Amino acid sequence: MKKFFHKISKYLSEQSIQTVLIISFALMLMIGIGSITLVFSIRSQMQSMNTLADHNIKTLDTTNQYLDSHLRNMMRASDAVYYQVLNRKHANKDTISEMITTFYNADREHVVSIALFDTSGDVIAAAPLSRVKNKDMVIKAPGFSDALNEIENIHFSVPHVQNIFQNEDSNYQWVVSLSRY
């Protein structure tokens, strides 16, 4: 390193004062431009990170409001089925099926299907999907066992692909299941 500085000082001592000033000015200019570029780059990067963080927070808030709204709609539909259908003492299976279909049609943009199962996993009524692929899938579903173990509580599943009912067009949708006993 000493040799390098020694060579530079020897070269500059052999040059005129004008050359030394031009070289000094050019070096100072490059250092200044480099410093300003570095500062603006760091500042721009920090602003981008803050903007991205703000955008992510807004996206999460919007998603949270959207999910809250859908969960509330699901709870209202569940309450309607529970209080209007299940608490009727003399309702027969056909009446229950008609009422379930009516509730489904009223909320079809938010609900993929509505189904009532007995404690053994057999379908009592369902709309619009009614053929179960495998009864064991119903019994083993976490929401089914949770609902049986904790009566009067509403249980939501994590989002999953609806795989309990057979679907003629093989269009299986992502759903959040609600279970209640």
Side-chain angles (χ1 to χ4, degrees):
M1 194 70 145
K2 272 187 173 182
K3 284 184 180 182
F4 177 71
F5 286 121
H6 182 64
K7 284 182 183 181
I8 289 176
S9 66
K10 185 177 178 186
Y11 173 76
L12 290 175
S13 65
E14 295 171 358
Q15 302 299 319
S16 70
I17 192 138
Q18 185 179 6
T19 307
V20 172
L21 286 173
I22 289 173
I23 292 173
S24 299
F25 181 71
L27 283 174
M28 294 303 285
L29 191 61
M30 287 192 302
I31 290 171
I33 289 173
S35 298
I36 290 172
T37 303
L38 182 65
V39 167
F40 279 126
S41 174
I42 291 171
R43 193 168 170 206
S44 174
Q45 186 179 22
M46 294 299 287
Q47 259 184 328
S48 294
M49 290 175 63
N50 289 340
T51 302
L52 182 63
D54 290 344
H55 177 71
N56 287 343
I57 288 171
K58 287 178 184 175
T59 301
L60 285 174
D61 287 344
T62 302
T63 304
N64 188 29
Q65 289 174 354
Y66 180 76
L67 284 175
D68 281 348
S69 172
H70 279 293
L71 292 177
R72 288 184 207 293
N73 286 338
M74 287 174 62
M75 289 169 46
R76 280 190 215 108
S78 173
D79 287 343
V81 169
Y82 185 77
Y83 293 112
Q84 299 294 322
V85 176
L86 298 179
N87 284 340
R88 292 192 175 197
K89 297 189 190 300
H90 302 293
N92 60 28
K93 191 172 184 174
D94 292 333
T95 305
I96 291 173
S97 291
E98 287 175 20
M99 293 177 93
I100 293 293
T101 302
T102 303
F103 284 121
Y104 169 75
N105 288 332
D107 213 10
R108 72 179 336 144
E109 68 246 8
H110 297 115
V111 177
V112 173
S113 65
I114 298 176
L116 296 176
F117 296 96
D118 63 14
T119 55
S120 63
D122 293 321
V123 177
I124 297 171
L129 306 171
S130 59
R131 289 191 325 232
V132 174
K133 282 184 183 180
N134 184 349
K135 183 178 165 181
D136 290 336
M137 291 175 75
V138 174
I139 295 170
K140 291 178 182 175
F144 187 82
S145 58
D146 290 344
L148 290 176
N149 293 334
E150 297 179 36
I151 298 173
E152 291 293 322
N153 288 334
I154 295 176
H155 304 276
F156 294 98
S157 70
V158 296
H160 62 281
V161 175
Q162 185 286 118
N163 60 357
I164 292 178
F165 292 103
Q166 292 179 353
N167 195 345
E168 285 79 33
D169 39 339
S170 298
N171 184 16
Y172 294 97
Q173 299 177 342
W174 281 88
V175 298
V176 174
S177 298
L178 179 146
S179 304
R180 177 184 210 167
Y181 181 65

